[in-house]
Amino acid sequence: MPTLQKTVIACATVVLGLLVPGFGLAAPYTPAQRDVVVETLPAIDPAVSEQVQTLHRRLAAAPQSVALATELARHYIDLSRQTDDPRYNGYAQAALRPWWEQPQPPTEVLMLRAHLLQNRHAFDQARSDLQQVLERDPRRAQAWLELAAIERVTGSLENAHKACAALLTLASALISGTCLADIASLTGKGQGAYATLDRLLQTASADAAPGLRRWALTIQGEIAWRLGQPALALQALEAALELAEEEGVFDGYLLGLWSDFMLARGQARPVRKRLAPYAHSDALLLRYVIASKRLMADDAIAMADVLRRRFEASQRRGDTVHQREQARFALDVDEQPAEALWLAQHNWAVQKEPADLLLLLRAALAFNPAAAAPARAYLASTGLEDVRAEVLIERLDQLDAAA
């Protein structure tokens, strides 16, 4: 893991060496007046805020307390999940500062550090931390689950399957079954995976945590969409959204997925309406901007500028977490296919989820069909079934034939 000094140097190198074509870096915005509202942050439950302040006071009195530091870090990670505001992850890292650079910190710190590293796409370091946890405690179900997620995102599907299989004796059937079905669906077993999830959702005990049911429904919706079953996909995604609303939970991934599904079906208006309250989330603002552009809404240009400035600020920080969103912004909003392909290729080097594959195919189709080769190879090696990818491949083949 890099030291803080190395991280600073690396960030500077990235900023200087990996400027995205077309993304000129404007000067940072400085308000002319002190009362200018730069950003409106999501409201936080006052009770949670009080808990955090109390933990800060207790930790200040006992700065070497692992228990207090990890409890504070968990609060901040929860706040990041609830608000989709990555700054809280930074606060969580700050709470773990005494142990952050240690090669073998306490197990609870390893778990939290792995989560935070995964969020910034430092997958190798996160994987290493989780493997260290599992060497200490092979029955740590949460570590297996998070390891499966990392292997899935990076396209190591065989390793992801192994991690999910380890959950069979450590977690409920809904957790292990959903994990395994998700990976199976990415390796040519989509129909069986969908049926497995159907069975799991029907047989899961009534008191199964709503969050687990929401997770299973989300994955079921993704599978149905890839299999070309839009009615089933919508049914699963709407059921998941209903659960989220009943819980009063913000689920940015689910909202983004539902929005993508609706946009693909030409339903921009409901996307714009549903996402209007979530402009603080870069990923959801992207969908809102795409929907607004399609509808030629009054705020389409202004909101696109807001997102463009955020991407520029992200670049200045050397942050490459949003390359998928930046590529899609370049392709669908700015209509800059060369830039979109450059970003999609760099994103593909890090992430290999179906959304990344589709983006690479679309960008290649828009600018350079030959650039689709890695996506074609991945489809062939995994057996992934995705009707959306099949349509794009067919169009690429037609271009090849016409050349």
Side-chain angles (χ1 to χ4, degrees):
M1 185 176 300
T3 63
L4 283 174
Q5 290 84 357
K6 285 179 180 176
T7 302
V8 171
I9 293 170
C11 287
T13 303
V14 168
V15 170
L16 291 172
L18 292 179
L19 295 181
V20 179
F23 265 92
L25 292 185
Y29 169 64
T30 303
Q33 304 293 332
R34 292 176 61 87
D35 58 352
V36 171
V37 177
V38 178
E39 180 89 33
T40 302
L41 300 177
I44 299 172
D45 184 341
V48 173
S49 181
E50 178 56 34
Q51 286 176 338
V52 167
Q53 293 307 316
T54 300
L55 279 169
H56 267 292
R57 288 193 290 271
R58 293 174 62 194
L59 187 58
Q64 293 304 314
S65 171
V66 173
L68 286 173
T70 53
E71 186 178 354
L72 179 59
R74 281 196 197 88
H75 270 79
Y76 277 130
I77 289 171
D78 285 344
L79 283 170
S80 179
R81 286 198 188 101
Q82 293 165 21
T83 62
D84 207 19
D85 187 338
R87 280 172 290 202
Y88 289 117
N89 284 336
Y91 302 155
Q93 178 176 336
L96 302 175
R97 184 180 296 117
W99 306 274
W100 187 260
E101 298 294 335
Q102 290 183 8
Q104 295 181 323
T107 300
E108 295 310 313
V109 173
L110 274 173
M111 285 294 299
L112 295 169
R113 189 169 71 180
H115 177 84
L116 294 169
L117 288 168
Q118 179 185 352
N119 266 283
R120 67 170 73 157
H121 293 186
F123 295 122
D124 288 344
Q125 296 97 319
R127 181 187 290 111
S128 175
D129 277 358
L130 291 171
Q131 287 170 339
Q132 196 178 154
V133 169
L134 291 168
E135 286 171 7
R136 297 178 190 181
D137 180 8
R139 297 189 60 79
R140 185 90 177 209
Q142 186 63 32
W144 283 115
L145 194 60
E146 297 205 16
L147 183 59
I150 290 172
E151 303 293 10
R152 179 194 190 278
V153 170
T154 54
S156 302
L157 299 181
E158 186 175 340
N159 289 338
H161 174 83
K162 289 177 183 174
C164 291
L167 291 167
L168 283 168
T169 58
L170 303 176
S172 72
L174 186 57
I175 294 174
S176 59
T178 300
C179 189
L180 283 165
D182 182 28
I183 303 306
S185 76
L186 301 173
T187 53
K189 306 178 187 70
Q191 294 288 357
Y194 182 91
T196 296
L197 285 170
D198 229 16
R199 187 172 63 254
L200 286 168
L201 284 162
Q202 288 175 18
T203 58
S205 62
D207 58 352
L212 291 180
R213 295 186 67 85
R214 176 161 41 89
W215 174 47
L217 283 164
T218 301
I219 290 174
Q220 192 181 35
E222 288 184 297
I223 294 172
W225 191 11
R226 291 198 295 269
L227 290 175
Q229 299 285 346
L232 294 177
L234 183 60
Q235 178 182 310
L237 296 179
E238 292 283 9
L241 284 168
E242 191 175 331
L243 282 177
E245 288 170 7
E246 286 174 4
E247 294 174 78
V249 170
F250 169 81
D251 188 333
Y253 181 86
L254 174 59
L255 283 167
L257 176 64
W258 173 85
S259 301
D260 289 342
F261 176 81
M262 297 299 282
L263 288 169
R265 293 172 62 78
Q267 299 290 316
R269 203 170 300 281
V271 170
R272 197 176 131 80
K273 181 179 179 182
R274 186 164 231 159
L275 298 190
Y278 305 114
H280 60 276
S281 163
D282 293 350
L284 298 183
L285 179 57
L286 170 65
R287 275 80 173 181
Y288 179 88
V289 167
I290 293 171
S292 300
K293 181 181 178 185
R294 290 187 186 178
L295 295 167
M296 295 186 285
D298 291 342
D299 63 349
I301 294 175
M303 297 309 284
D305 283 343
V306 169
L307 190 53
R308 190 176 292 106
R309 285 200 296 272
R310 289 186 191 174
F311 287 148
E312 289 169 354
S314 174
Q315 269 197 271
R316 281 194 292 272
R317 295 193 300 271
D319 182 351
T320 58
V321 169
H322 294 301
Q323 278 189 328
R324 179 196 290 174
E325 286 75 22
Q326 281 184 269
R328 192 164 169 198
F329 184 84
L331 192 62
D332 293 336
V333 180
D334 279 348
E335 300 180 20
Q336 297 292 330
E339 180 186 323
L341 179 58
W342 189 93
L343 286 159
Q345 288 173 316
H346 281 75
N347 177 59
W348 182 252
V350 179
Q351 298 190 97
K352 293 180 174 56
E353 294 187 278
D356 305 302
L357 182 132
L358 293 174
L359 190 58
L360 181 57
L361 288 173
R362 289 183 59 217
L365 185 63
F367 187 70
N368 176 15
R376 287 177 183 269
Y378 187 80
L379 281 166
S381 66
T382 60
L384 172 66
E385 304 157 295
D386 192 328
V387 294
R388 304 163 300 177
E390 289 171 10
V391 170
L392 292 167
I393 292 288
E394 187 177 339
R395 292 174 61 191
L396 284 161
D397 288 343
Q398 289 169 354
L399 281 180
D400 285 344

